[in-house]
Structure formats: structure tokens, C-alpha cells
Amino acid sequence: MTNWSKRITTLLAATAMASGVSLATGAGTAAAAPRLTYQSSWYQSGQSVVVYLYADGKYAGYVNWNADPVGTDPGDALRANDDAADGWGVKGMVSAPGWLIREASTQGHASPYTTPWQTGNLTEGNKYDLDVCLVKGSEQVCLYGYFRVEA
């Protein structure tokens, strides 16, 4: 084998080794994030919803969108609740394309914790996306595009 062939072989082996180390490191981080599942309960003729979140099958908390006032709860309102002292917070976001309208997050608060309602009047009948997440530091595990709510 020539010196040139040995150098190429060494370079390829080193690249493969570095890639393997990089993939193994990434896999360790991803494995730490919980698997997020949910159950939803719709009300107000399908305009409002409570999304119950589960981290690896264990109840974590909920995100609640309330289109119209119910008792003392306001309309066009979002809140999040964290019921699991597992280090993961709960976050909900209501948006239209390119526009974040409401965000409620328990991140940084000890569990159990429920955010205040995030409110503000919206045009009746407009539809929005509701995304729900578990959050920890800069890491998020989210369900995007699963829920369509109305003001």
C-alpha cells in the first residue's frame, strides 16, 4: 500500500470514528427526553380544549384553551398546569401562521403550578393552532399541529 493510500484509509477511519462518537452523544441526549402522549377533552362545540399531557405514560399536567367565558374563567384564554415534580414544565402556545398569540408556561416554577390565564380579546370565529410541550431548560418535546382551536 502506498503512503497516499494509507493516509486516505487513516482519514476515512478517523472520520467514521468521529461520526460514531457524535451519533452516540446525540442519542444519549435524545433518550433523556420523555415520550409525550396526550388525551384531549373538547367543549364549547369544539372551540375549546383541555389537553392532558403524559410523559412516558405518567400524567404530567395540562394545557387549557378557553374560547368563551365559563363561570369566572375568561374567554380567548390559555393556561398551563404542571402536576408532576419530574423536572419538566408544561407549555402551551396559540398561534396563527407567523404570529404567536398566547403562550403559557410553567417552566421555572415548582410543581404543582398553574399559570394565570393569558388573555386578550380576539376576533370571534378565527381559528388558531394550539401547540403543547414539555419543557426543560432549552429542551422541548412538543406536539405541533395536533389541535385547532377557535376564538
Side-chain angles (χ1 to χ4, degrees):
M1 194 182 265
T2 66
N3 278 343
W4 182 248
S5 296
K6 288 180 186 177
R7 286 182 183 169
I8 290 175
T9 302
T10 302
L11 177 63
L12 291 174
T15 302
M17 177 72 89
S19 296
V21 169
S22 168
L23 291 173
T25 303
T29 303
R35 188 175 66 87
L36 177 59
T37 56
Y38 74 96
Q39 290 184 332
S40 57
S41 178
W42 293 87
Y43 60 100
Q44 295 181 336
S45 301
Q47 296 175 322
S48 301
V49 66
V50 180
V51 181
Y52 301 96
L53 302 177
Y54 298 84
D56 294 328
K58 296 178 185 166
Y59 179 67
Y62 66 83
V63 172
N64 183 193
W65 170 255
N66 203 37
D68 295 317
V70 176
T72 61
D73 294 341
D76 298 339
L78 179 70
R79 70 177 171 186
N81 166 270
D82 180 0
D83 275 332
D86 58 2
W88 288 86
V90 174
K91 179 168 82 169
M93 298 166 291
V94 173
S95 62
W99 183 33
L100 178 63
I101 297 165
R102 303 270 187 285
E103 181 176 288
S105 177
T106 67
Q107 189 170 19
H109 297 274
S111 178
Y113 178 75
T114 302
T115 66
W117 286 104
Q118 304 302 308
T119 64
N121 195 37
L122 298 172
T123 304
E124 290 301 309
N126 282 0
K127 295 186 184 290
Y128 303 97
D129 292 321
L130 169 65
D131 300 320
V132 298
C133 304
L134 296 178
V135 292
K136 183 178 192 178
S138 62
E139 193 171 1
Q140 295 189 138
V141 181
C142 299
L143 299 173
Y144 293 112
Y146 280 62
F147 311 100
R148 190 86 169 143
V149 297
E150 195 169 323

